Amino acid sequence: MSSVIASTRFSVLDRSRTREGHDGPRALRDTVDLAREAEALGFHRFWVSEHHGVPGVAGSAPTVLAAAVAAATSTIRVGTGGVMLPNHRPLVVAEQFGVLASLFPGRIDMGLGRSVGFTDGVRRALGHGKEDAEDFPGRLTELLGWIDGTQQAHPGVHAHPAEGLRIPAYVLAIGEGASVAAAAGLPLVIGDLRGRDKVLRAIEVYRRDFRPSARAEHPEVIVAGTVAVAGTEEAARRLLVPEAWAMAYSRTHGDFPPLAPAERIEALTMTAKERSLYEQGLEGYVHGTADQVAAQLERAVGETGADEVLVTTSTYDREALVDSLRRLARLARPPGRAAERSPSPVGRAAGSGRPTTGADA
């Protein structure tokens, strides 16, 4: 095993994707079940996402789902990847995370993003428009102020029980969002592993402009992306098929569908445009046998200098997904070193020399 992988934390984000024959409630229960598996395998953290009005995604209330995940686990860090701050009042977000951090002390992460609804209809229903995303830095500052007790916009108002609690915050970013994370002195979560050049440029800006803060003395980078590990390269590729087809379908039909079985997708007759988008959706991901994935991850982590990899794989076959995570866990912490590093998160050797933040508390 390479020393690069050994000194890198590995975590999991689940989007609560619906599947053919499995409804939204089942998808949410699957997320909770996957969190238990991730904890048993020793992953560092487990995050859930926020999507509104998307038929193929059941995770619309991330702080509620995070509460269910935290209640079903006992040691793994739990958080959001992320709460989309333009959709919410910062005071309410602070209160929600204050409740989570009070119920599950030392385990809650507050991942924050700047996206708004995918369609005009969803944005109108949420009461927010694209312009709200432009005020993300201001909303972030207000939110942190509610937690730190430093906000001045609303004298005499306090965010109970959040005020004064230690709640690690992370900025989810693509492109310009890296500058927001740097200015705020917060860890950066960026994806994905496919668009490497764009990610590298953003990370360079983040590290160059990072301002140390009470929350993080040093830059910290979490790179998110799909990672699929199986016994053969073809089996790993089949894990990518359901999501690749869902994305191709959404771009040609305007509707994001539930995930379908790989064998049914491979038997479909596709239009030329569908086929092109589908094949593009299979390219560039970290996938293959354990040896192949190890080499790909070593390159990705080496190029980005990532402190952590956040695995975001979605697929129809949940058993195959769990098997992929199991293989990844073995890759990051082989049996010969399991006892030596059992108290540590997957892939993070004690004394690795990496800078730490409140996320490591």
Side-chain angles (χ1 to χ4, degrees):
M1 178 183 62
S2 86
S3 59
V4 172
I5 294 177
S7 60
T8 303
R9 298 185 299 265
F10 285 84
S11 298
V12 178
L13 180 146
D14 192 58
R15 295 190 178 91
S16 303
R17 292 284 278 112
T18 59
R19 298 176 290 153
E20 288 187 358
H22 304 272
D23 59 11
R26 172 65 182 274
L28 296 173
R29 292 192 294 271
D30 285 344
T31 292
V32 175
D33 288 342
L34 189 64
R36 293 192 187 100
E37 294 283 358
E39 179 175 74
L41 291 170
F43 284 89
H44 183 50
R45 66 180 102 239
F46 188 94
W47 282 6
V48 297
S49 63
E50 174 181 337
H51 295 278
H52 297 283
V54 181
V57 183
S60 56
T63 54
V64 177
L65 184 53
V69 168
T73 55
S74 59
T75 58
I76 195 169
R77 298 196 64 86
V78 176
T80 56
V83 166
M84 297 301 143
L85 203 48
N87 295 334
H88 311 280
R89 295 300 304 172
L91 170 61
V92 175
V93 175
E95 291 172 336
Q96 291 173 344
F97 276 96
V99 170
L100 283 170
S102 298
L103 292 173
F104 309 101
R107 294 180 57 207
I108 299 301
D109 298 327
M110 184 171 62
L112 305 162
R114 66 187 295 272
S115 296
V116 292
F118 291 136
T119 67
D120 289 338
V122 170
R123 288 191 287 270
R124 285 194 298 269
L126 290 169
H128 298 282
K130 293 182 178 180
E131 66 279 1
D132 291 300
E134 302 306 316
D135 189 36
F136 178 61
R139 287 171 179 259
L140 177 63
T141 298
E142 181 183 342
L143 170 59
L144 298 179
W146 285 116
I147 296 172
D148 298 338
T150 59
Q151 73 82 26
Q152 302 295 323
H154 306 278
V157 182
H158 299 272
H160 301 303
E163 188 173 303
L165 295 181
R166 184 177 178 85
I167 306 175
Y170 302 78
V171 173
L172 280 66
I174 298 177
E176 66 274 12
S179 296
V180 176
L186 294 177
L188 173 71
V189 183
I190 189 164
D192 61 20
L193 291 168
R194 300 174 77 197
R196 195 71 54 80
D197 290 342
K198 184 177 181 179
V199 166
L200 290 176
R201 288 194 297 271
I203 291 174
E204 181 181 4
V205 169
Y206 168 69
R207 289 201 173 103
R208 182 195 68 201
D209 298 341
F210 182 84
R211 300 176 184 174
S213 71
R215 293 176 175 272
E217 296 180 0
H218 308 280
E220 179 180 351
V221 175
I222 301 175
V223 177
T226 293
V227 178
V229 196
T232 66
E233 183 176 1
E234 179 58 27
R237 181 183 179 279
R238 285 172 65 81
L239 284 171
L240 309 177
V241 166
E243 190 70 41
W245 169 244
M247 294 299 295
Y249 187 92
S250 69
R251 293 180 64 182
T252 51
H253 295 76
D255 184 28
F256 202 60
L259 298 175
E263 57 269 18
R264 190 176 76 73
I265 294 169
E266 291 172 334
L268 288 174
T269 300
M270 303 180 191
T271 65
K273 185 175 183 180
E274 287 173 341
R275 175 66 64 181
S276 176
L277 291 170
Y278 167 67
E279 291 179 350
Q280 289 175 29
L282 293 171
E283 296 175 355
Y285 290 114
V286 174
H287 75 286
T289 64
D291 287 343
Q292 290 172 322
V293 167
Q296 294 170 50
L297 283 174
E298 183 171 3
R299 177 184 175 188
V301 173
E303 290 179 351
T304 61
D307 300 277
E308 184 172 337
V309 173
L310 182 65
V311 178
T312 63
T313 311
S314 296
T315 193
Y316 177 86
D317 189 339
R318 298 294 284 194
E319 290 185 5
L321 176 59
V322 171
D323 180 68
S324 175
L325 292 177
R326 187 175 296 117
R327 291 171 184 270
L328 177 60
R330 286 200 297 265
L331 174 64
R333 188 176 60 192
R337 298 188 65 185
E340 171 192 343
R341 291 163 45 208
S342 57
S344 304
V346 162
R348 183 163 183 260
S352 64
R354 298 281 180 120
T356 60
T357 70
D360 299 309

